[in-house]
Amino acid sequence: MIVRVYPGREAASRAGAENFVRCLKETLGRKDRFSIAVSGGSTPRRLYEILGTEFINEVEWERVNIYWGDERYVPHQDRKSNFRMFHEALLDQVSIPIGNVHPMPTHRRDPQAAADDYESLMRSHLAGSGRGHPDLPELDIVLLGMGADGHVASLFPGSKALQETRRWVVATEAPEEPRQRLSLTLSVINNAADVCLLVTGGEKAEAVERAIAGPPDALECPASAVRPTHGQVVWWLDQAAASRLEDANTRIEHPEDSTGGR
Ligand code: 6PG
């Protein structure tokens, strides 16, 4: 586990964008395609904006497959849609072949049927895609945010989806609107080559401490169960979100205090 702390959201977002480009170039040096599951919510928007502006020419977008880690079960043009946010922040800026962009479907009456459709699509692209469990996909990056309650993707504390080991994609319920969600499961997230969490804001400090310094407990704090089976987990935090870590016996890095950084 790597924990890097930055002065604020802008620096943390930039670190995330730099890491995306670095991972992409390393991966495309040995594989034909790069697959990422992107996060929704508000935090990653700035990271996507940086990718779509400053780093736009650094990325061979035609070799990138974009999946979603989760989605609110609303139309893609809805203001709450994670796909809409990503589209506004990045897709409007870069020309990615439409066949490379795989939003979660939200049009079916039955959300679990939509989840099954998405799983079928992922299986057609990613089955047997790499290291780890033979029946799980190896995404190159899973980018996550985290809620103040410790949820990641749309896996919320107490959800039975946290114990799902067979499905790749499930329909879940959120405690706030839009309640209906679709989400990758922890099994898929933990089978990734790199799991990257971008978390900022003091309201998340307690969950950050719990997730990083506490024992894994998926039902109580889903983020604490983000423990890749063979990949790497990296946290990019701002100082506010990391404020309770300073006393924990966690190795923390402050890249802004030194050259380079992940
Ligand atoms: C979503 C996200 C969710 C998000 C957290 C943090 O659909 O909302 O995927 O997991 O990462 O809720 O959200 P903020 O970045 O808005 O704080």
Side-chain angles (χ1 to χ4, degrees), residues 39-44 70 72 82 145-147 151-154 181 204:
S39 172
S42 56
T43 304
D70 72 319
R72 291 84 178 274
N82 288 335
M146 186 190 71
H151 80 261
V152 289
S154 282
R181 311 284 180 101
K204 304 197 179 168

Side-chain angles (χ1 to χ4, degrees), residues 180-240:
Q180 190 63 62
R181 311 284 180 101
L182 300 183
S183 183
L184 296 185
T185 57
L186 271 177
S187 300
V188 171
I189 292 168
N190 282 330
N191 205 58
D194 271 305
V195 184
C196 304
L197 295 105
L198 175 62
V199 182
T200 62
E203 73 282 7
K204 304 197 179 168
E206 190 174 342
V208 163
E209 178 190 27
R210 177 70 190 79
I212 292 175
D217 182 339
L219 284 174
E220 192 267 336
C221 178
S224 71
V226 174
R227 297 282 197 276
T229 53
H230 60 278
Q232 176 69 266
V233 57
V234 186
W235 290 76
W236 299 303
L237 306 171
D238 69 354
Q239 282 164 353

